[in-house]
Amino acid sequence: MKVLVTGGAGFIGSHTCLSLLEKGYEVVVIDSFVNSHKKSLKRVIDILKLNKNINNVNIEIMELDIRNENALDKLFFEYQSNGNSIDAVIHLAGLKSVKDSLLNPLTYWDVNVNGSINLLKVMNRYKCRTIVFSSSATIYGISSNESLKENAEIKPINPYGRNKVAIEDLLNDTFFSDKNEWKIANLRYFNPIGAHPSGIIGEDPMDVPNNVFPYITRVAAGILDKLTIFGNDWPTLDGTAIRDYIHVMDLAEGHIAALNKLIECDHQIMNINLGTGIATSVLELVETFERVNSIKVPFEFADRRLGDSCKVIADNSLALSFLAWSPKRDLEEMCVDGWKWQLLNPTGYK
Ligand code: UD1
């Protein structure tokens, strides 16, 4: 089974490629490398060779921007002509900074939405109609205190979130245009953190991180002075905001579970939350990180960040029952593994 992973060199992509290869899939990666490193996939190969004593890792890597429809077409054509067609796609390519999306909405719509349209056009042309898409919990309008089910209100508040909704809509329309052809899974990620336990691959933001976890690891490493915690006046037990952090390896394995489900099931479209369902406040995250790694993370409180929500927690019951997947790593492992990656790679992949 040959799987094309778009954006396969990024944080989630590299961990997902590792899981796919461990399960014996053949992997083709395309990536523009604008926000990722070629080294991440070399490291994936290293991990496989180290752990499994495998000499021949079945992965091909190409630099390709999903906005380039001709290049995408050529790729599918060449595999098909060699009798080695691409069977399914895991679509992770896209720009992912909320802040950046507010400053550069046209670029975000172009890369994320036009890129996805190109991909679907080419997939359709070559009758490759199985796709797992990387969506996000950011699409939910968050107003209640309850954990979020997949049928919760969809109400994104920034261009990045609206891109994700547009792509889900696109996939939905595509599915209903020909219900007997497509198999689609929209995976709505909560907050992926941590790294592979080897510390060989992990998250490597290009600039100062916007997300809390890579910020914490850099403060602990002394690269950044202190963490700013946005808001200590939220209506939570300790006043800091609550999220559902999920180990990136659990998330990676969620993609494999979704893909396996699509392969075995009838044609369908599914929206599935990938989270742990466990609530953690920013202070709890910092305290856990400090405790398990025996290291201090200096912090200060500041005003709430614009656009933040108090609590974002997954109801993951659908993933548990339907995908036969469950998150296996706890917050302590996320903190230990993320710190190991930071310690072994103080400058990331550079
Ligand atoms: C953010 C994005 C979301 C995206 C996700 C990817 C926003 C508003 N949302 O989610 O669209 O899908 O990342 O992982 O950017 N925090 C601090 N100090 C920091 C950074 C964050 O206190 O320096 C707090 C935030 O206020 C929040 C929590 O930590 O309460 C988690 O923040 P973050 O890691 O940025 O994730 P989200 O905001 O949940």
mmCIF file with all atom_site columns, all heavy atoms in Angstrom, residues 98 136 138 160 191-192 210-212 215 227-230 241 243 245 282 305 307-308, ligand 1:
data_model
loop_
_atom_site.group_PDB
_atom_site.id
_atom_site.type_symbol
_atom_site.label_atom_id
_atom_site.label_alt_id
_atom_site.label_comp_id
_atom_site.label_asym_id
_atom_site.label_entity_id
_atom_site.label_seq_id
_atom_site.pdbx_PDB_ins_code
_atom_site.Cartn_x
_atom_site.Cartn_y
_atom_site.Cartn_z
_atom_site.occupancy
_atom_site.B_iso_or_equiv
_atom_site.pdbx_formal_charge
_atom_site.auth_seq_id
_atom_site.auth_comp_id
_atom_site.auth_asym_id
_atom_site.auth_atom_id
_atom_site.pdbx_PDB_model_num
ATOM   1   N N   . VAL A 1 98  ? -1.558  30.833 13.442 1.00 0.00 ? 98  VAL A N   1
ATOM   2   C CA  . VAL A 1 98  ? -2.756  31.672 13.544 1.00 0.00 ? 98  VAL A CA  1
ATOM   3   C C   . VAL A 1 98  ? -2.380  33.139 13.349 1.00 0.00 ? 98  VAL A C   1
ATOM   4   O O   . VAL A 1 98  ? -3.012  33.877 12.584 1.00 0.00 ? 98  VAL A O   1
ATOM   5   C CB  . VAL A 1 98  ? -3.431  31.464 14.915 1.00 0.00 ? 98  VAL A CB  1
ATOM   6   C CG1 . VAL A 1 98  ? -4.505  32.508 15.165 1.00 0.00 ? 98  VAL A CG1 1
ATOM   7   C CG2 . VAL A 1 98  ? -4.028  30.066 15.003 1.00 0.00 ? 98  VAL A CG2 1
ATOM   8   N N   . SER A 1 136 ? -8.449  20.673 12.552 1.00 0.00 ? 136 SER A N   1
ATOM   9   C CA  . SER A 1 136 ? -8.026  21.208 13.855 1.00 0.00 ? 136 SER A CA  1
ATOM   10  C C   . SER A 1 136 ? -9.216  21.538 14.733 1.00 0.00 ? 136 SER A C   1
ATOM   11  O O   . SER A 1 136 ? -10.273 21.949 14.236 1.00 0.00 ? 136 SER A O   1
ATOM   12  C CB  . SER A 1 136 ? -7.215  22.477 13.607 1.00 0.00 ? 136 SER A CB  1
ATOM   13  O OG  . SER A 1 136 ? -7.001  23.172 14.808 1.00 0.00 ? 136 SER A OG  1
ATOM   14  N N   . THR A 1 138 ? -9.413  24.028 16.250 1.00 0.00 ? 138 THR A N   1
ATOM   15  C CA  . THR A 1 138 ? -9.570  25.474 16.122 1.00 0.00 ? 138 THR A CA  1
ATOM   16  C C   . THR A 1 138 ? -10.843 25.854 15.356 1.00 0.00 ? 138 THR A C   1
ATOM   17  O O   . THR A 1 138 ? -11.295 26.996 15.426 1.00 0.00 ? 138 THR A O   1
ATOM   18  C CB  . THR A 1 138 ? -8.294  26.061 15.456 1.00 0.00 ? 138 THR A CB  1
ATOM   19  O OG1 . THR A 1 138 ? -8.171  27.401 15.801 1.00 0.00 ? 138 THR A OG1 1
ATOM   20  C CG2 . THR A 1 138 ? -8.291  25.906 13.975 1.00 0.00 ? 138 THR A CG2 1
ATOM   21  N N   . TYR A 1 160 ? -6.696  31.121 9.552  1.00 0.00 ? 160 TYR A N   1
ATOM   22  C CA  . TYR A 1 160 ? -6.201  29.733 9.628  1.00 0.00 ? 160 TYR A CA  1
ATOM   23  C C   . TYR A 1 160 ? -7.362  28.771 9.888  1.00 0.00 ? 160 TYR A C   1
ATOM   24  O O   . TYR A 1 160 ? -7.528  27.755 9.208  1.00 0.00 ? 160 TYR A O   1
ATOM   25  C CB  . TYR A 1 160 ? -5.133  29.633 10.728 1.00 0.00 ? 160 TYR A CB  1
ATOM   26  C CG  . TYR A 1 160 ? -4.777  28.225 11.125 1.00 0.00 ? 160 TYR A CG  1
ATOM   27  C CD1 . TYR A 1 160 ? -4.010  27.423 10.294 1.00 0.00 ? 160 TYR A CD1 1
ATOM   28  C CD2 . TYR A 1 160 ? -5.217  27.691 12.340 1.00 0.00 ? 160 TYR A CD2 1
ATOM   29  C CE1 . TYR A 1 160 ? -3.684  26.125 10.659 1.00 0.00 ? 160 TYR A CE1 1
ATOM   30  C CE2 . TYR A 1 160 ? -4.893  26.401 12.711 1.00 0.00 ? 160 TYR A CE2 1
ATOM   31  C CZ  . TYR A 1 160 ? -4.133  25.618 11.863 1.00 0.00 ? 160 TYR A CZ  1
ATOM   32  O OH  . TYR A 1 160 ? -3.831  24.337 12.225 1.00 0.00 ? 160 TYR A OH  1
ATOM   33  N N   . ASN A 1 191 ? -4.242  19.630 21.064 1.00 0.00 ? 191 ASN A N   1
ATOM   34  C CA  . ASN A 1 191 ? -2.927  20.302 21.146 1.00 0.00 ? 191 ASN A CA  1
ATOM   35  C C   . ASN A 1 191 ? -1.777  19.280 21.155 1.00 0.00 ? 191 ASN A C   1
ATOM   36  O O   . ASN A 1 191 ? -1.388  18.789 22.220 1.00 0.00 ? 191 ASN A O   1
ATOM   37  C CB  . ASN A 1 191 ? -2.850  21.163 22.410 1.00 0.00 ? 191 ASN A CB  1
ATOM   38  C CG  . ASN A 1 191 ? -3.728  22.391 22.311 1.00 0.00 ? 191 ASN A CG  1
ATOM   39  O OD1 . ASN A 1 191 ? -4.934  22.291 22.125 1.00 0.00 ? 191 ASN A OD1 1
ATOM   40  N ND2 . ASN A 1 191 ? -3.148  23.568 22.416 1.00 0.00 ? 191 ASN A ND2 1
ATOM   41  N N   . PRO A 1 192 ? -1.212  18.971 19.993 1.00 0.00 ? 192 PRO A N   1
ATOM   42  C CA  . PRO A 1 192 ? -0.123  17.992 19.940 1.00 0.00 ? 192 PRO A CA  1
ATOM   43  C C   . PRO A 1 192 ? 1.175   18.564 20.505 1.00 0.00 ? 192 PRO A C   1
ATOM   44  O O   . PRO A 1 192 ? 1.595   19.659 20.109 1.00 0.00 ? 192 PRO A O   1
ATOM   45  C CB  . PRO A 1 192 ? 0.041   17.703 18.442 1.00 0.00 ? 192 PRO A CB  1
ATOM   46  C CG  . PRO A 1 192 ? -0.826  18.645 17.718 1.00 0.00 ? 192 PRO A CG  1
ATOM   47  C CD  . PRO A 1 192 ? -1.564  19.508 18.670 1.00 0.00 ? 192 PRO A CD  1
ATOM   48  N N   . ASN A 1 210 ? 4.950   30.292 18.928 1.00 0.00 ? 210 ASN A N   1
ATOM   49  C CA  . ASN A 1 210 ? 3.680   30.871 19.409 1.00 0.00 ? 210 ASN A CA  1
ATOM   50  C C   . ASN A 1 210 ? 3.019   29.933 20.402 1.00 0.00 ? 210 ASN A C   1
ATOM   51  O O   . ASN A 1 210 ? 2.287   30.356 21.274 1.00 0.00 ? 210 ASN A O   1
ATOM   52  C CB  . ASN A 1 210 ? 2.695   31.069 18.244 1.00 0.00 ? 210 ASN A CB  1
ATOM   53  C CG  . ASN A 1 210 ? 3.159   32.160 17.308 1.00 0.00 ? 210 ASN A CG  1
ATOM   54  O OD1 . ASN A 1 210 ? 3.623   33.206 17.755 1.00 0.00 ? 210 ASN A OD1 1
ATOM   55  N ND2 . ASN A 1 210 ? 3.060   31.909 16.010 1.00 0.00 ? 210 ASN A ND2 1
ATOM   56  N N   . ASN A 1 211 ? 3.274   28.644 20.225 1.00 0.00 ? 211 ASN A N   1
ATOM   57  C CA  . ASN A 1 211 ? 2.596   27.640 21.056 1.00 0.00 ? 211 ASN A CA  1
ATOM   58  C C   . ASN A 1 211 ? 3.334   27.453 22.375 1.00 0.00 ? 211 ASN A C   1
ATOM   59  O O   . ASN A 1 211 ? 4.543   27.642 22.473 1.00 0.00 ? 211 ASN A O   1
ATOM   60  C CB  . ASN A 1 211 ? 2.492   26.297 20.310 1.00 0.00 ? 211 ASN A CB  1
ATOM   61  C CG  . ASN A 1 211 ? 1.610   26.412 19.089 1.00 0.00 ? 211 ASN A CG  1
ATOM   62  O OD1 . ASN A 1 211 ? 2.035   26.138 17.991 1.00 0.00 ? 211 ASN A OD1 1
ATOM   63  N ND2 . ASN A 1 211 ? 0.372   26.832 19.278 1.00 0.00 ? 211 ASN A ND2 1
ATOM   64  N N   . VAL A 1 212 ? 2.560   27.059 23.378 1.00 0.00 ? 212 VAL A N   1
ATOM   65  C CA  . VAL A 1 212 ? 3.099   27.070 24.729 1.00 0.00 ? 212 VAL A CA  1
ATOM   66  C C   . VAL A 1 212 ? 4.210   26.031 24.944 1.00 0.00 ? 212 VAL A C   1
ATOM   67  O O   . VAL A 1 212 ? 5.214   26.320 25.604 1.00 0.00 ? 212 VAL A O   1
ATOM   68  C CB  . VAL A 1 212 ? 1.961   26.928 25.777 1.00 0.00 ? 212 VAL A CB  1
ATOM   69  C CG1 . VAL A 1 212 ? 1.334   25.548 25.758 1.00 0.00 ? 212 VAL A CG1 1
ATOM   70  C CG2 . VAL A 1 212 ? 2.438   27.281 27.156 1.00 0.00 ? 212 VAL A CG2 1
ATOM   71  N N   . TYR A 1 215 ? 7.651   26.787 23.610 1.00 0.00 ? 215 TYR A N   1
ATOM   72  C CA  . TYR A 1 215 ? 8.124   27.955 24.363 1.00 0.00 ? 215 TYR A CA  1
ATOM   73  C C   . TYR A 1 215 ? 8.705   27.502 25.709 1.00 0.00 ? 215 TYR A C   1
ATOM   74  O O   . TYR A 1 215 ? 9.783   27.926 26.122 1.00 0.00 ? 215 TYR A O   1
ATOM   75  C CB  . TYR A 1 215 ? 6.973   28.959 24.575 1.00 0.00 ? 215 TYR A CB  1
ATOM   76  C CG  . TYR A 1 215 ? 7.466   30.387 24.674 1.00 0.00 ? 215 TYR A CG  1
ATOM   77  C CD1 . TYR A 1 215 ? 7.350   31.263 23.595 1.00 0.00 ? 215 TYR A CD1 1
ATOM   78  C CD2 . TYR A 1 215 ? 8.085   30.844 25.838 1.00 0.00 ? 215 TYR A CD2 1
ATOM   79  C CE1 . TYR A 1 215 ? 7.829   32.567 23.681 1.00 0.00 ? 215 TYR A CE1 1
ATOM   80  C CE2 . TYR A 1 215 ? 8.564   32.142 25.924 1.00 0.00 ? 215 TYR A CE2 1
ATOM   81  C CZ  . TYR A 1 215 ? 8.433   32.999 24.845 1.00 0.00 ? 215 TYR A CZ  1
ATOM   82  O OH  . TYR A 1 215 ? 8.917   34.284 24.925 1.00 0.00 ? 215 TYR A OH  1
ATOM   83  N N   . LEU A 1 227 ? 8.658   32.289 30.396 1.00 0.00 ? 227 LEU A N   1
ATOM   84  C CA  . LEU A 1 227 ? 7.370   32.063 29.746 1.00 0.00 ? 227 LEU A CA  1
ATOM   85  C C   . LEU A 1 227 ? 6.403   33.153 30.191 1.00 0.00 ? 227 LEU A C   1
ATOM   86  O O   . LEU A 1 227 ? 6.373   33.509 31.370 1.00 0.00 ? 227 LEU A O   1
ATOM   87  C CB  . LEU A 1 227 ? 6.833   30.687 30.171 1.00 0.00 ? 227 LEU A CB  1
ATOM   88  C CG  . LEU A 1 227 ? 5.398   30.352 29.749 1.00 0.00 ? 227 LEU A CG  1
ATOM   89  C CD1 . LEU A 1 227 ? 5.307   30.102 28.245 1.00 0.00 ? 227 LEU A CD1 1
ATOM   90  C CD2 . LEU A 1 227 ? 4.891   29.113 30.510 1.00 0.00 ? 227 LEU A CD2 1
ATOM   91  N N   . THR A 1 228 ? 5.635   33.665 29.248 1.00 0.00 ? 228 THR A N   1
ATOM   92  C CA  . THR A 1 228 ? 4.537   34.561 29.613 1.00 0.00 ? 228 THR A CA  1
ATOM   93  C C   . THR A 1 228 ? 3.265   33.725 29.578 1.00 0.00 ? 228 THR A C   1
ATOM   94  O O   . THR A 1 228 ? 2.942   33.140 28.541 1.00 0.00 ? 228 THR A O   1
ATOM   95  C CB  . THR A 1 228 ? 4.434   35.721 28.593 1.00 0.00 ? 228 THR A CB  1
ATOM   96  O OG1 . THR A 1 228 ? 5.689   36.396 28.580 1.00 0.00 ? 228 THR A OG1 1
ATOM   97  C CG2 . THR A 1 228 ? 3.333   36.682 28.975 1.00 0.00 ? 228 THR A CG2 1
ATOM   98  N N   . ILE A 1 229 ? 2.599   33.643 30.707 1.00 0.00 ? 229 ILE A N   1
ATOM   99  C CA  . ILE A 1 229 ? 1.331   32.899 30.741 1.00 0.00 ? 229 ILE A CA  1
ATOM   100 C C   . ILE A 1 229 ? 0.202   33.901 30.496 1.00 0.00 ? 229 ILE A C   1
ATOM   101 O O   . ILE A 1 229 ? 0.048   34.879 31.246 1.00 0.00 ? 229 ILE A O   1
ATOM   102 C CB  . ILE A 1 229 ? 1.152   32.159 32.077 1.00 0.00 ? 229 ILE A CB  1
ATOM   103 C CG1 . ILE A 1 229 ? 2.251   31.094 32.232 1.00 0.00 ? 229 ILE A CG1 1
ATOM   104 C CG2 . ILE A 1 229 ? -0.241  31.531 32.155 1.00 0.00 ? 229 ILE A CG2 1
ATOM   105 C CD1 . ILE A 1 229 ? 2.152   30.239 33.489 1.00 0.00 ? 229 ILE A CD1 1
ATOM   106 N N   . PHE A 1 230 ? -0.542  33.637 29.432 1.00 0.00 ? 230 PHE A N   1
ATOM   107 C CA  . PHE A 1 230 ? -1.581  34.580 29.017 1.00 0.00 ? 230 PHE A CA  1
ATOM   108 C C   . PHE A 1 230 ? -2.851  34.399 29.849 1.00 0.00 ? 230 PHE A C   1
ATOM   109 O O   . PHE A 1 230 ? -3.688  33.564 29.514 1.00 0.00 ? 230 PHE A O   1
ATOM   110 C CB  . PHE A 1 230 ? -1.885  34.415 27.529 1.00 0.00 ? 230 PHE A CB  1
ATOM   111 C CG  . PHE A 1 230 ? -0.687  34.659 26.641 1.00 0.00 ? 230 PHE A CG  1
ATOM   112 C CD1 . PHE A 1 230 ? -0.329  33.733 25.660 1.00 0.00 ? 230 PHE A CD1 1
ATOM   113 C CD2 . PHE A 1 230 ? 0.085   35.806 26.783 1.00 0.00 ? 230 PHE A CD2 1
ATOM   114 C CE1 . PHE A 1 230 ? 0.768   33.954 24.837 1.00 0.00 ? 230 PHE A CE1 1
ATOM   115 C CE2 . PHE A 1 230 ? 1.184   36.030 25.958 1.00 0.00 ? 230 PHE A CE2 1
ATOM   116 C CZ  . PHE A 1 230 ? 1.529   35.104 24.992 1.00 0.00 ? 230 PHE A CZ  1
ATOM   117 N N   . ALA A 1 241 ? -5.642  28.983 31.516 1.00 0.00 ? 241 ALA A N   1
ATOM   118 C CA  . ALA A 1 241 ? -6.535  28.355 30.529 1.00 0.00 ? 241 ALA A CA  1
ATOM   119 C C   . ALA A 1 241 ? -6.268  26.851 30.394 1.00 0.00 ? 241 ALA A C   1
ATOM   120 O O   . ALA A 1 241 ? -5.150  26.374 30.641 1.00 0.00 ? 241 ALA A O   1
ATOM   121 C CB  . ALA A 1 241 ? -6.355  29.046 29.185 1.00 0.00 ? 241 ALA A CB  1
ATOM   122 N N   . ARG A 1 243 ? -6.356  23.213 28.250 1.00 0.00 ? 243 ARG A N   1
ATOM   123 C CA  . ARG A 1 243 ? -6.275  22.593 26.924 1.00 0.00 ? 243 ARG A CA  1
ATOM   124 C C   . ARG A 1 243 ? -6.193  21.082 27.064 1.00 0.00 ? 243 ARG A C   1
ATOM   125 O O   . ARG A 1 243 ? -5.935  20.550 28.144 1.00 0.00 ? 243 ARG A O   1
ATOM   126 C CB  . ARG A 1 243 ? -5.011  23.066 26.180 1.00 0.00 ? 243 ARG A CB  1
ATOM   127 C CG  . ARG A 1 243 ? -5.020  24.543 25.802 1.00 0.00 ? 243 ARG A CG  1
ATOM   128 C CD  . ARG A 1 243 ? -6.037  24.832 24.703 1.00 0.00 ? 243 ARG A CD  1
ATOM   129 N NE  . ARG A 1 243 ? -6.054  26.232 24.318 1.00 0.00 ? 243 ARG A NE  1
ATOM   130 C CZ  . ARG A 1 243 ? -6.751  27.183 24.948 1.00 0.00 ? 243 ARG A CZ  1
ATOM   131 N NH1 . ARG A 1 243 ? -7.476  26.882 26.009 1.00 0.00 ? 243 ARG A NH1 1
ATOM   132 N NH2 . ARG A 1 243 ? -6.730  28.422 24.512 1.00 0.00 ? 243 ARG A NH2 1
ATOM   133 N N   . TYR A 1 245 ? -3.865  18.404 25.789 1.00 0.00 ? 245 TYR A N   1
ATOM   134 C CA  . TYR A 1 245 ? -2.574  18.109 25.163 1.00 0.00 ? 245 TYR A CA  1
ATOM   135 C C   . TYR A 1 245 ? -2.504  16.631 24.811 1.00 0.00 ? 245 TYR A C   1
ATOM   136 O O   . TYR A 1 245 ? -2.882  15.777 25.610 1.00 0.00 ? 245 TYR A O   1
ATOM   137 C CB  . TYR A 1 245 ? -1.421  18.514 26.097 1.00 0.00 ? 245 TYR A CB  1
ATOM   138 C CG  . TYR A 1 245 ? -1.440  20.003 26.378 1.00 0.00 ? 245 TYR A CG  1
ATOM   139 C CD1 . TYR A 1 245 ? -2.021  20.514 27.547 1.00 0.00 ? 245 TYR A CD1 1
ATOM   140 C CD2 . TYR A 1 245 ? -0.925  20.900 25.451 1.00 0.00 ? 245 TYR A CD2 1
ATOM   141 C CE1 . TYR A 1 245 ? -2.066  21.884 27.782 1.00 0.00 ? 245 TYR A CE1 1
ATOM   142 C CE2 . TYR A 1 245 ? -0.978  22.279 25.675 1.00 0.00 ? 245 TYR A CE2 1
ATOM   143 C CZ  . TYR A 1 245 ? -1.554  22.759 26.845 1.00 0.00 ? 245 TYR A CZ  1
ATOM   144 O OH  . TYR A 1 245 ? -1.612  24.113 27.062 1.00 0.00 ? 245 TYR A OH  1
ATOM   145 N N   . VAL A 1 282 ? -2.472  25.663 31.994 1.00 0.00 ? 282 VAL A N   1
ATOM   146 C CA  . VAL A 1 282 ? -1.097  26.050 31.645 1.00 0.00 ? 282 VAL A CA  1
ATOM   147 C C   . VAL A 1 282 ? -0.183  25.850 32.860 1.00 0.00 ? 282 VAL A C   1
ATOM   148 O O   . VAL A 1 282 ? 0.921   25.316 32.727 1.00 0.00 ? 282 VAL A O   1
ATOM   149 C CB  . VAL A 1 282 ? -1.032  27.525 31.153 1.00 0.00 ? 282 VAL A CB  1
ATOM   150 C CG1 . VAL A 1 282 ? 0.404   27.903 30.811 1.00 0.00 ? 282 VAL A CG1 1
ATOM   151 C CG2 . VAL A 1 282 ? -1.919  27.743 29.948 1.00 0.00 ? 282 VAL A CG2 1
ATOM   152 N N   . ARG A 1 305 ? -4.441  36.349 25.929 1.00 0.00 ? 305 ARG A N   1
ATOM   153 C CA  . ARG A 1 305 ? -4.090  36.557 24.523 1.00 0.00 ? 305 ARG A CA  1
ATOM   154 C C   . ARG A 1 305 ? -5.383  36.699 23.713 1.00 0.00 ? 305 ARG A C   1
ATOM   155 O O   . ARG A 1 305 ? -6.332  35.927 23.925 1.00 0.00 ? 305 ARG A O   1
ATOM   156 C CB  . ARG A 1 305 ? -3.271  35.346 24.040 1.00 0.00 ? 305 ARG A CB  1
ATOM   157 C CG  . ARG A 1 305 ? -2.769  35.448 22.629 1.00 0.00 ? 305 ARG A CG  1
ATOM   158 C CD  . ARG A 1 305 ? -1.794  34.322 22.281 1.00 0.00 ? 305 ARG A CD  1
ATOM   159 N NE  . ARG A 1 305 ? -2.408  33.000 22.305 1.00 0.00 ? 305 ARG A NE  1
ATOM   160 C CZ  . ARG A 1 305 ? -1.780  31.870 21.990 1.00 0.00 ? 305 ARG A CZ  1
ATOM   161 N NH1 . ARG A 1 305 ? -0.502  31.904 21.645 1.00 0.00 ? 305 ARG A NH1 1
ATOM   162 N NH2 . ARG A 1 305 ? -2.394  30.704 22.043 1.00 0.00 ? 305 ARG A NH2 1
ATOM   163 N N   . GLY A 1 307 ? -8.200  36.251 21.238 1.00 0.00 ? 307 GLY A N   1
ATOM   164 C CA  . GLY A 1 307 ? -8.670  35.091 20.468 1.00 0.00 ? 307 GLY A CA  1
ATOM   165 C C   . GLY A 1 307 ? -8.553  33.776 21.221 1.00 0.00 ? 307 GLY A C   1
ATOM   166 O O   . GLY A 1 307 ? -8.941  32.725 20.699 1.00 0.00 ? 307 GLY A O   1
ATOM   167 N N   . ASP A 1 308 ? -7.996  33.790 22.447 1.00 0.00 ? 308 ASP A N   1
ATOM   168 C CA  . ASP A 1 308 ? -7.863  32.550 23.218 1.00 0.00 ? 308 ASP A CA  1
ATOM   169 C C   . ASP A 1 308 ? -9.192  32.151 23.854 1.00 0.00 ? 308 ASP A C   1
ATOM   170 O O   . ASP A 1 308 ? -10.045 33.004 24.114 1.00 0.00 ? 308 ASP A O   1
ATOM   171 C CB  . ASP A 1 308 ? -6.824  32.713 24.327 1.00 0.00 ? 308 ASP A CB  1
ATOM   172 C CG  . ASP A 1 308 ? -5.444  32.265 23.880 1.00 0.00 ? 308 ASP A CG  1
ATOM   173 O OD1 . ASP A 1 308 ? -5.342  31.707 22.765 1.00 0.00 ? 308 ASP A OD1 1
ATOM   174 O OD2 . ASP A 1 308 ? -4.478  32.465 24.631 1.00 0.00 ? 308 ASP A OD2 1
HETATM 175 C C1  . UD1 B 2 .   ? -3.063  27.255 18.977 1.00 0.00 ? 1   UD1 B C1  1
HETATM 176 C C2  . UD1 B 2 .   ? -3.885  27.903 17.909 1.00 0.00 ? 1   UD1 B C2  1
HETATM 177 C C3  . UD1 B 2 .   ? -4.693  26.828 17.209 1.00 0.00 ? 1   UD1 B C3  1
HETATM 178 C C4  . UD1 B 2 .   ? -3.763  25.769 16.644 1.00 0.00 ? 1   UD1 B C4  1
HETATM 179 C C5  . UD1 B 2 .   ? -2.894  25.187 17.760 1.00 0.00 ? 1   UD1 B C5  1
HETATM 180 C C6  . UD1 B 2 .   ? -1.838  24.251 17.197 1.00 0.00 ? 1   UD1 B C6  1
HETATM 181 C C7  . UD1 B 2 .   ? -4.324  30.192 18.714 1.00 0.00 ? 1   UD1 B C7  1
HETATM 182 C C8  . UD1 B 2 .   ? -5.336  31.148 19.240 1.00 0.00 ? 1   UD1 B C8  1
HETATM 183 N N1  . UD1 B 2 .   ? -4.748  28.921 18.499 1.00 0.00 ? 1   UD1 B N1  1
HETATM 184 O O1  . UD1 B 2 .   ? -3.943  26.664 19.918 1.00 0.00 ? 1   UD1 B O1  1
HETATM 185 O O2  . UD1 B 2 .   ? -5.431  27.409 16.184 1.00 0.00 ? 1   UD1 B O2  1
HETATM 186 O O3  . UD1 B 2 .   ? -4.504  24.734 16.050 1.00 0.00 ? 1   UD1 B O3  1
HETATM 187 O O4  . UD1 B 2 .   ? -2.219  26.250 18.436 1.00 0.00 ? 1   UD1 B O4  1
HETATM 188 O O5  . UD1 B 2 .   ? -1.201  23.564 18.226 1.00 0.00 ? 1   UD1 B O5  1
HETATM 189 O O6  . UD1 B 2 .   ? -3.179  30.540 18.462 1.00 0.00 ? 1   UD1 B O6  1
HETATM 190 N N2  . UD1 B 2 .   ? 0.019   30.166 26.191 1.00 0.00 ? 1   UD1 B N2  1
HETATM 191 C C9  . UD1 B 2 .   ? 0.718   30.885 27.138 1.00 0.00 ? 1   UD1 B C9  1
HETATM 192 N N3  . UD1 B 2 .   ? 1.928   31.385 26.789 1.00 0.00 ? 1   UD1 B N3  1
HETATM 193 C C10 . UD1 B 2 .   ? 2.464   31.214 25.546 1.00 0.00 ? 1   UD1 B C10 1
HETATM 194 C C11 . UD1 B 2 .   ? 1.746   30.476 24.592 1.00 0.00 ? 1   UD1 B C11 1
HETATM 195 C C12 . UD1 B 2 .   ? 0.513   29.981 24.959 1.00 0.00 ? 1   UD1 B C12 1
HETATM 196 O O7  . UD1 B 2 .   ? 0.265   31.072 28.259 1.00 0.00 ? 1   UD1 B O7  1
HETATM 197 O O8  . UD1 B 2 .   ? 3.573   31.721 25.292 1.00 0.00 ? 1   UD1 B O8  1
HETATM 198 C C13 . UD1 B 2 .   ? -1.268  29.574 26.586 1.00 0.00 ? 1   UD1 B C13 1
HETATM 199 C C14 . UD1 B 2 .   ? -2.405  29.994 25.685 1.00 0.00 ? 1   UD1 B C14 1
HETATM 200 O O9  . UD1 B 2 .   ? -2.998  31.179 26.179 1.00 0.00 ? 1   UD1 B O9  1
HETATM 201 C C15 . UD1 B 2 .   ? -3.322  28.758 25.802 1.00 0.00 ? 1   UD1 B C15 1
HETATM 202 C C16 . UD1 B 2 .   ? -2.369  27.589 26.017 1.00 0.00 ? 1   UD1 B C16 1
HETATM 203 O O10 . UD1 B 2 .   ? -1.153  28.164 26.472 1.00 0.00 ? 1   UD1 B O10 1
HETATM 204 O O11 . UD1 B 2 .   ? -4.141  28.886 26.917 1.00 0.00 ? 1   UD1 B O11 1
HETATM 205 C C17 . UD1 B 2 .   ? -2.097  26.810 24.759 1.00 0.00 ? 1   UD1 B C17 1
HETATM 206 O O12 . UD1 B 2 .   ? -1.665  27.708 23.761 1.00 0.00 ? 1   UD1 B O12 1
HETATM 207 P P1  . UD1 B 2 .   ? -1.070  27.219 22.365 1.00 0.00 ? 1   UD1 B P1  1
HETATM 208 O O13 . UD1 B 2 .   ? -0.011  26.239 22.582 1.00 0.00 ? 1   UD1 B O13 1
HETATM 209 O O14 . UD1 B 2 .   ? -0.727  28.456 21.576 1.00 0.00 ? 1   UD1 B O14 1
HETATM 210 O O15 . UD1 B 2 .   ? -2.278  26.450 21.710 1.00 0.00 ? 1   UD1 B O15 1
HETATM 211 P P2  . UD1 B 2 .   ? -3.786  26.962 21.425 1.00 0.00 ? 1   UD1 B P2  1
HETATM 212 O O16 . UD1 B 2 .   ? -3.923  28.402 21.660 1.00 0.00 ? 1   UD1 B O16 1
HETATM 213 O O17 . UD1 B 2 .   ? -4.699  26.065 22.167 1.00 0.00 ? 1   UD1 B O17 1
#
